[in-house]
Amino acid sequence: MTFAVTVELLHNTFRADPEGAANTGQASRGEWPPAPSRLFAAFVAADGTGERRRVTDGTELSWLESLSPPEIQASAGSSVLGQRLEDRYVVEHKPRGAPEDNTVQEYPARKSALVRPGFRVSPRNPKVVYRWDEEAPEAVLDGLRRRAARIGYLGTADSPVRVRAMALEPESTGVQGSYVPDPEGEVVITVAAPGDLDLLDRMYEAWVEHGPVIGRGQFPALRHEVTYRSPGAPAPGENGTVVAWLRLRPAVSGRRVSVITALFKKAVLSAYQDLFGEPPPVLHGHGLGRSGYDLARFLALPDVGYRWSRGRIHGLALWLPPASAPVESARARDAAWSLRRLAGQGINVSVVRWDSLDRLVAANPKRWRRGSAGWATAFPAVHERRGPVGLEEVARWCRHAGLPSPVAVRLARTPFVPGAVDLAPVEVNRPGRPKLPYSHVEICFAEPVRGPVVIGAGRQRGLGLCVQVDGAADE
């Protein structure tokens, strides 16, 4: 038997603010799936703690917060739609004796207030199931059932839910797909952790004393982020890991790839320095003492490979080699996620963490991680040395990039796929560095190779990034 909590969205929609940015107008995504930390807070609020309890003894909450992050069965991908809600003004209650300036014309002596609703999420299946590989004691299960019956909504009050706590056999619940904890996943979800119950009590007491000036953002210790792999996402491979996927707004011309990746690298190194101290050699490349493919790669993700693609850069990715220490990887990820803007050399764009609700293909990790036997460059690959280039030389590039040797290659000065960027020499070669030739390359491997695939001497700054050409991208 396993312990499970089911949440049914009664309006088939869910609205919540995952980062507390909705009231600032800076919210860039909705929350999906509903975070286990939010569910835990709802269980706490359902009957309170201490002397505020009415129908439970409170032991069920201590048991629940001690559990590891759950598997979450919920709709994903194209079966989840996100809608950004428009800001609006509503009539504000006027306290007795308040000044009457700036009033609403239709409501004499009443003022208007700006409301920013944030995001609404609409999944195809309104049911969400949280599953733990634990068997709940009967007394604990009874207490959680009593609390579940008292939960009316999750997130905002216009997201009514029906919640049930139950013991289940390890079988299908009728919900397609599972979000599973995975250090190399692409979705970040907040979960509950031991100690949260005491923190929630302290926050409540502060709110009772000081009123609405107390917010969850003043208790950062309540935020525990866990990386999950969404349904259908490919399993991690052995040729390195992308630790951070980011989204740019607005998109940037693909001809600025060298500039945008240089700004990206500079910003990550600066953020790492501010957060954790001296960055490791794998990020900056100085004093590493290992081969080139053991360096981080700062990738720009263009719209490429489709009929109407124009090569504009919509996203960024930070790739680390397989030899990277877990601590280094986690810190590099946090440094990249902390970025909010890239500015310089004619570029000024906002940076947000990629979210699974974002439907833009160019910035979607699945676009670049899917395995394929055929690949072609989206940005030209810089030759590693001067001289003739054939199958043997490109195989050498692939070995340096941690890839198997190809069985066939083609090189050309112009792109092989729609939207791939044709750069001028000044846009490829860096000032003060030796000028090397560059080409667009099409590669065929004997077996499918999982991406991202990046080849050539400029792979650390995003040049030589490849896209699949096996026909699946044209679906």
Side-chain angles (χ1 to χ4, degrees), residues 418-449:
V421 185
D422 186 11
L423 298 176
V426 70
E427 296 167 328
V428 174
N429 296 299
R430 290 178 289 180
R433 299 294 183 91
K435 293 178 173 56
L436 291 170
Y438 58 94
S439 305
H440 277 279
V441 185
E442 187 176 58
I443 312 172
C444 181
F445 296 99
E447 299 290 339
V449 172

Side-chain angles (χ1 to χ4, degrees), residues 193-452:
D196 281 2
L197 191 57
D198 291 338
L199 285 171
L200 287 171
D201 279 344
R202 286 168 51 194
M203 188 172 71
Y204 178 78
E205 297 298 339
W207 182 83
V208 169
E209 182 177 353
H210 301 288
V213 296
I214 300 299
R216 192 182 184 94
Q218 296 170 309
F219 292 80
L222 279 170
R223 189 172 183 86
H224 313 285
E225 294 183 335
V226 173
T227 305
Y228 276 69
R229 188 173 75 253
S230 63
E238 298 179 355
N239 60 336
T241 303
V242 174
V243 297
W245 299 90
L246 305 173
R247 178 81 151 82
L248 295 180
R249 292 191 176 94
V252 178
S253 168
R255 304 188 71 94
R256 308 303 305 280
V257 55
S258 295
V259 175
I260 198 73
T261 54
L263 290 174
F264 181 32
K265 179 178 180 179
K266 181 180 179 181
V268 169
L269 291 175
S270 177
Y272 195 106
Q273 177 76 36
D274 293 342
L275 293 171
F276 309 111
E278 180 65 24
V282 70
L283 286 181
H284 52 65
H286 301 294
L288 187 66
R290 291 183 292 182
S291 55
Y293 66 84
D294 285 327
L295 292 176
R297 298 173 191 168
F298 298 84
L299 308 178
L301 309 178
D303 172 24
V304 62
Y306 299 96
R307 181 181 178 185
W308 303 110
S309 296
R310 293 296 179 266
R312 294 182 63 80
I313 298 170
H314 292 270
L316 299 170
L318 175 59
W319 177 95
L320 293 182
S324 300
V327 173
E328 289 180 353
S329 298
R331 290 180 173 180
R333 177 201 63 198
D334 292 344
W337 280 349
S338 71
L339 302 184
R340 293 295 177 265
R341 183 161 293 276
L342 295 180
Q345 302 185 55
I347 290 176
N348 190 347
V349 294
S350 64
V351 181
V352 296
R353 190 184 307 176
W354 180 83
D355 184 83
S356 57
L357 298 182
D358 193 331
R359 301 176 66 82
L360 183 69
V361 173
N364 193 319
K366 295 179 182 179
R367 177 73 175 103
W368 306 98
R369 298 171 71 173
R370 181 176 57 81
S372 173
W375 295 84
T377 48
F379 299 116
V382 180
H383 298 192
E384 294 191 356
R385 57 186 178 182
R386 297 182 179 278
V389 178
L391 177 59
E392 183 178 348
E393 178 64 12
V394 175
R396 179 175 173 272
W397 300 355
C398 290
R399 288 194 300 271
H400 290 175
L403 301 169
S405 296
V407 296
V409 299
R410 285 199 303 163
L411 282 84
R413 180 64 180 83
T414 55
F416 289 103
V417 293
V421 185
D422 186 11
L423 298 176
V426 70
E427 296 167 328
V428 174
N429 296 299
R430 290 178 289 180
R433 299 294 183 91
K435 293 178 173 56
L436 291 170
Y438 58 94
S439 305
H440 277 279
V441 185
E442 187 176 58
I443 312 172
C444 181
F445 296 99
E447 299 290 339
V449 172
R450 183 174 178 269

Side-chain angles (χ1 to χ4, degrees), residues 28 153 244 304 378:
S28 59
Y153 61 89
V304 62

Side-chain angles (χ1 to χ4, degrees), residues 9-272:
L9 306 176
L10 299 181
H11 286 179
N12 281 37
T13 62
F14 176 70
R15 184 164 69 92
D17 186 5
E19 297 175 341
N23 63 349
T24 67
Q26 302 299 313
S28 59
R29 65 187 184 97
E31 180 179 302
W32 189 260
S37 60
R38 189 179 300 278
L39 180 66
F40 177 74
F43 271 106
V44 175
D47 192 39
T49 60
E51 297 179 353
R52 294 180 288 272
R53 288 182 283 103
R54 294 293 181 269
V55 297
T56 62
D57 61 13
T59 57
E60 66 282 353
L61 296 178
S62 300
W63 181 84
L64 184 60
E65 75 169 355
S66 68
L67 299 180
S68 57
E71 172 191 347
I72 307 173
Q73 296 181 339
S75 298
S78 60
S79 62
V80 182
L81 300 179
Q83 177 189 18
R84 181 169 185 168
L85 304 178
E86 296 295 331
D87 298 349
R88 64 180 185 268
Y89 286 87
V90 299
V91 176
E92 185 181 36
H93 172 69
K94 175 183 175 295
R96 185 182 299 275
E100 298 183 0
D101 55 337
N102 299 325
T103 57
V104 180
Q105 182 176 356
E106 292 81 1
Y107 297 86
R110 302 288 292 277
K111 297 177 66 176
S112 61
L114 175 62
V115 175
R116 294 187 171 103
F119 272 76
R120 177 185 290 125
V121 178
S122 302
R124 178 175 298 173
N125 189 329
K127 189 176 182 181
V128 182
V129 181
Y130 304 82
R131 301 188 67 152
W132 290 265
D133 289 329
E134 299 282 348
E135 185 172 353
E138 189 58 37
V140 167
L141 187 58
D142 180 67
L144 291 174
R145 284 171 173 164
R146 292 171 181 269
R147 286 181 178 268
R150 297 165 68 93
I151 297 175
Y153 61 89
L154 282 181
T156 56
D158 60 355
S159 299
V161 295
R162 180 184 293 117
V163 180
R164 295 186 176 95
M166 62 188 71
L168 291 177
E169 295 289 346
E171 58 186 13
S172 173
T173 58
V175 181
Q176 297 295 323
S178 293
Y179 292 80
V180 294
D182 187 338
E184 298 183 353
E186 79 286 0
V187 181
V188 176
I189 301 176
T190 58
V191 301
D196 281 2
L197 191 57
D198 291 338
L199 285 171
L200 287 171
D201 279 344
R202 286 168 51 194
M203 188 172 71
Y204 178 78
E205 297 298 339
W207 182 83
V208 169
E209 182 177 353
H210 301 288
V213 296
I214 300 299
R216 192 182 184 94
Q218 296 170 309
F219 292 80
L222 279 170
R223 189 172 183 86
H224 313 285
E225 294 183 335
V226 173
T227 305
Y228 276 69
R229 188 173 75 253
S230 63
E238 298 179 355
N239 60 336
T241 303
V242 174
V243 297
W245 299 90
L246 305 173
R247 178 81 151 82
L248 295 180
R249 292 191 176 94
V252 178
S253 168
R255 304 188 71 94
R256 308 303 305 280
V257 55
S258 295
V259 175
I260 198 73
T261 54
L263 290 174
F264 181 32
K265 179 178 180 179
K266 181 180 179 181
V268 169
L269 291 175
S270 177
Y272 195 106

